[in-house]
Amino acid sequence: MTIYLDYQATTPLAPEAFDAMVPLLRDQFANPHSPHRLGRAVTAQVEIARAEILKLLPEGGRLLFTSGATEALNMAIQGAPAGGIVTLATEHAAVLDTVEAQGRAGRAIAILPVGRDGLVDLDRAAQAIRPGVALVAAMLVNNEIGVVQPVAELADLAHKAGALFLCDAVQGYGRVPIPPQCDIVAISAHKIHGPKGIGALWLRDGVNLSPIIHGGGQEGGLRSGTLSPALCAGFGIAARLMRERAEADRAHVESLWTVARALFSQWTLNGSADRRYHGNLNLRRAGVDGARLLSECRNVAFSLGSACASGSGRPSHVLRALGLTDAEARGSVRIGFGRYTTLAQLEDAAGIVNEAAEKSAP
């Protein structure tokens, strides 16, 4: 049995979410955009899910369903008003690649560095976020190293300059409070024990984007395409569970974090130890080759960083942004745990990983 410790890549589907999806896949198969009774019945399920998801987001906004956070982030960046864009060097590729594409199309862009702890310097950010900037984009909880950026302060700087603030809250939604200063928020279901293939974009009331997908005008005219009621329902149930189980999940993660820090005491933590979500343990060890370690620990599922960049052969851009050498970055691994991880699993996995690391380390 493989021990799963890759919660930042995806989370196990909650059984309750699966149960909610089955009838909508098997029996209630009508198109939610159809005006007949069957269509209206499944539309009601979509709207129940939308309402549940909104409960974990700031007040005073609307929610648009998308195929995932990548689409949501593209919608926000490509559809933002004309002007410059400021973001951070440690953002997900869905942000960095889209921002760079906008730069090639003629927009002024600025990509801010971070410190050794993975955090942006607010004074430097203030110098870059000036009038003429239209959008500032930053991740709440980093997907590779788990650090929590000063999103509220960055949003204040954006507003002072007359810009909108986009928060990639994929890793933080339901775990870390989303500051009310955000104007646009992207989230994803499969990071909170929901199904893959669905995400959402939250827009503060009064914020308008130009659509990048055209067609039937669904989702307020900003995201055309037929919705999947089953995916929406699974997302909604997952969001409800994140809200209802918030304290229990938090306490469980904190207990695992404390144990994990002791189990991996021979490793060095990458990124801030204080401003961090504790379900993400990104570690490095001298002499270790992360890719080789991953192949040797076949009964433990962990990762070297972002699942989206796996197999590229390049050191993580996030770890390089922290100032790590190529060797340090390649000697790093990411261990992620959460709701369904047991203490016994964590202890067994640590034994396997540490034994393999001992054999390769000098």
Side-chain angles (χ1 to χ4, degrees):
M1 178 71 73
T2 299
I3 300 170
Y4 186 76
L5 294 176
D6 199 15
Y7 269 57
Q8 281 69 51
T10 197
T11 53
L13 181 66
E16 298 91 336
F18 176 81
D19 291 342
M21 293 168 62
V22 171
L24 289 161
L25 290 167
R26 183 186 57 208
D27 306 317
Q28 298 168 271
F29 51 79
N31 189 318
H33 311 295
S34 295
H36 48 64
R37 181 174 59 84
L38 295 178
R40 294 195 304 272
V42 293
T43 297
Q45 297 299 311
V46 170
E47 296 311 315
I48 289 170
R50 198 189 306 269
E52 284 291 351
I53 297 163
L54 280 166
K55 290 177 182 177
L56 287 170
L57 289 160
E59 295 183 0
R62 56 186 171 136
L63 188 84
L64 311 176
F65 284 114
T66 66
S67 64
T70 293
E71 182 188 346
L73 291 165
N74 270 265
M75 286 173 61
I77 296 167
Q78 295 186 53
I85 303 175
V86 176
T87 191
L88 312 185
T90 49
E91 293 300 298
H92 191 278
V95 168
L96 288 177
D97 288 358
T98 308
V99 167
E100 289 171 0
Q102 291 291 293
R104 292 192 295 272
R107 281 202 194 219
I109 66 170
I111 300 177
L112 299 175
V114 297
R116 188 82 176 184
D117 58 3
L119 298 170
V120 67
D121 180 86
L122 288 172
D123 290 335
R124 188 156 186 174
Q127 294 174 7
I129 304 171
R130 310 294 297 175
V133 171
L135 183 71
V136 178
M139 198 183 294
L140 179 59
V141 177
N142 188 271
N143 61 308
E144 292 201 27
I145 56 174
V147 300
V148 180
Q149 293 291 351
V151 162
E153 292 84 349
L154 289 169
D156 288 340
L157 289 173
H159 296 156
K160 185 177 179 180
L164 296 173
F165 183 80
L166 163 63
C167 177
D168 173 352
V170 168
Q171 299 288 340
Y173 175 75
R175 299 182 177 94
V176 176
I178 298 173
Q181 295 97 321
C182 296
D183 299 301
I184 311 171
V185 179
I187 58 177
S188 180
H190 76 102
K191 307 295 188 179
I192 61 162
H193 307 289
K196 298 173 184 63
I198 185 167
L201 188 69
W202 177 86
L203 299 176
R204 177 178 301 287
D205 292 340
V207 172
N208 295 302
L209 302 174
S210 298
I212 63 171
I213 294 178
H214 303 274
Q218 294 92 340
E219 293 302 274
L222 280 178
R223 200 276 181 180
S224 293
T226 301
L227 290 176
S228 165
L231 294 179
C232 294
F235 196 173
I237 294 296
R240 191 195 58 165
L241 292 171
M242 291 295 287
R243 179 170 53 84
E244 293 177 348
R245 297 182 52 126
E247 184 56 35
D249 283 352
R250 186 200 65 77
H252 182 57
V253 166
E254 287 299 323
S255 66
L256 293 174
W257 165 265
T258 300
V259 171
R261 292 288 279 139
L263 291 171
F264 292 98
S265 59
Q266 301 302 310
W267 297 68
T268 301
L269 186 69
N270 290 325
S272 172
D274 301 320
R275 291 186 56 90
R276 186 190 199 96
Y277 168 63
H278 283 171
N280 180 316
L281 196 64
N282 195 299
L283 305 163
R284 71 180 187 272
R285 185 166 174 172
V288 168
D289 182 295
R292 181 180 300 171
L293 188 69
L294 187 64
S295 68
E296 291 175 351
C297 301
R298 296 181 181 180
N299 292 327
V300 182
F302 59 98
S303 74
L304 308 180
S306 172
C308 303
S310 63
S312 68
R314 300 188 303 272
S316 160
H317 74 279
V318 173
L319 297 180
R320 292 303 310 276
L322 269 59
L324 270 62
T325 65
D326 282 359
E328 289 174 324
R330 290 197 170 98
S332 298
V333 299
R334 184 185 67 185
I335 295 170
F337 40 79
R339 179 184 300 167
Y340 302 114
T341 310
T342 67
L343 176 59
Q345 287 175 330
L346 185 60
E347 290 174 338
D348 289 347
I352 295 169
V353 172
N354 283 328
E355 182 179 357
E358 288 286 348
K359 292 178 179 178
S360 60

